[in-house]
Amino acid sequence: MKVTRAAQPFLPLCQRLVPALPVPALPGRLTGLSLTLLKATALEVAILAGHLLLYPSGMTQERRAALALPASGPAGTGPRPAPEDTPRLPRQAESRPPVVLLHGFIDNRSVFLLLRRSLAQHGRQQVVSLNYSPLTCDIRSAAELLGRHIEEICERTGARQVDIVGHSLGGLIGRYYIQRLGGDHRVRMLVTLGTPHAGTRVVPLANAHPIVRQMRPGSPVLEELALPSPGCRTRFVSFWSDLDRMMDPLETACLDHPDLSARNVRVSGVGHLALPVHPAVAAGIRQALDATDDTGPAGTGSPGLTVA
């Protein structure tokens, strides 16, 4: 099978993404890989362009409904009823905890527009997208802020626990909250998408940013996360992609910890930016959130998802 002339202009880009890719001789299996890579790269570019258009709309925190508890009136007057037009959040059923969406590095909640819509269409009516500042320089501080947000969400909804879906850095922030700040009593499940659980070596020049240094292999934060976590009650599902060029090595997005109930799902055919956007991944996330035990197709030994 030969590469078409239309694809030849993209081959230098593919060589940068996959250094071992020969040009122009691409026998059988490598030809299939190159075409898959071309499609994944084109999808990444399209997603990036769309996300740049949506980015301004996600720069502010989303509007939050008022607490369902009565506010206090002046001293000695007792509780003050809330205005009739104050929005309320319905209390959640035990089987459907609120879902908290946590974006990645230098991003915002707009990245979850399609995933949020997918979750809502399939019965997840309480989905909250949180922003943390692009100037955030410490995963620990971001995890503390996440903990305060989760307490507010539980107070507003009456839920005892939440589920978290974290893309890239967002997954590390959620994991730090769970493992190091006692958040396992509040988080039923953490789903991570392209999260560098073991650290990534990509883009060495980015080390000038403190939070990037915390995502490097062997950083103090990652060493903390590797410490024993006996009795952790949260379940983990990690989606990782075989074309995620932000993960070096690719398997760093797999979660491997002896004390954690973790499952890894390999996604074939999409890149880093597509993980929170692609409908096949969204379906996998919904399946993981709806699971009632640690069995099923999302297990470590499962074939994973093939989307391209």
Side-chain angles (χ1 to χ4, degrees), residues 99-102 112 115 163-167 190-191 193 285 289:
V99 179
V100 178
L101 305 178
L102 202 58
F112 290 119
L115 177 58
D163 291 332
I164 298 177
V165 178
H167 180 225
L190 171 64
V191 177
L193 311 172
I285 294 170
L289 294 176

Side-chain angles (χ1 to χ4, degrees), residues 36-283:
T36 299
L37 185 58
L38 286 174
K39 289 193 291 183
T41 301
L43 180 61
E44 290 282 284
V45 172
I47 291 172
L48 177 61
H51 188 39
L52 289 176
L53 293 176
L54 292 173
Y55 192 91
S57 67
M59 294 179 66
T60 59
Q61 292 284 8
E62 66 183 10
R63 182 172 176 267
R64 298 178 187 172
L67 295 176
L69 301 177
S72 296
T77 63
R80 181 180 58 203
E84 292 184 1
D85 60 349
T86 300
R88 302 288 190 185
L89 291 180
R91 292 183 177 271
Q92 292 297 297
E94 294 268 338
S95 60
R96 293 275 181 164
V99 179
V100 178
L101 305 178
L102 202 58
H103 61 79
F105 181 56
I106 315 181
D107 208 341
N108 63 38
R109 61 186 176 87
S110 63
V111 72
F112 290 119
L113 176 65
L114 297 180
L115 177 58
R116 179 176 187 144
R117 182 180 302 167
S118 174
L119 292 172
Q121 289 175 343
H122 290 81
R124 294 276 177 168
Q125 297 303 315
Q126 288 303 325
V127 183
V128 183
S129 301
L130 297 181
N131 277 353
Y132 55 88
S133 171
L135 302 179
T136 299
C137 293
D138 184 32
I139 288 175
R140 303 176 186 90
S141 300
E144 292 175 359
L145 178 61
L146 172 63
R148 292 196 292 271
H149 282 309
I150 289 177
E151 290 302 318
E152 293 174 1
I153 292 168
C154 290
E155 188 176 6
R156 292 202 311 271
T157 63
R160 293 187 299 178
Q161 289 185 307
V162 302
D163 291 332
I164 298 177
V165 178
H167 180 225
S168 196
L169 172 62
L172 283 182
I173 293 173
R175 191 177 157 199
Y176 194 93
Y177 166 65
I178 291 165
Q179 288 185 243
R180 308 303 300 168
L181 302 180
D184 62 314
H185 77 291
R186 282 298 194 195
V187 181
R188 185 188 70 104
M189 177 176 290
L190 171 64
V191 177
T192 65
L193 311 172
T195 291
H197 291 290
T200 179
R201 296 188 295 264
V202 75
V203 194
L205 295 179
N207 281 347
H209 198 293
I211 212 163
V212 173
R213 294 197 295 270
Q214 291 183 337
M215 290 189 285
R216 296 305 190 197
S219 73
V221 167
L222 294 186
E223 288 181 351
E224 285 185 59
L225 292 177
L227 293 174
S229 298
C232 182
R233 291 161 284 189
T234 301
R235 291 187 290 132
F236 299 81
V237 178
S238 176
F239 288 81
W240 67 284
S241 170
D242 56 4
L243 294 180
D244 189 339
R245 309 319 300 176
M246 300 306 294
M247 299 295 109
D248 181 17
L250 291 174
E251 293 77 9
T252 193
C254 296
L255 178 54
D256 182 14
H257 192 293
D259 294 330
L260 303 182
S261 174
R263 297 183 288 165
N264 296 300
V265 183
R266 174 174 175 164
V267 181
S268 299
V270 299
H272 189 74
L273 296 178
L275 286 171
V277 174
H278 201 284
V281 180

Side-chain angles (χ1 to χ4, degrees), residues 9-23:
F10 295 96
L11 291 177
L13 175 61
C14 294
Q15 278 192 293
R16 292 183 62 188
L17 294 173
V18 183
L21 195 63
V23 177

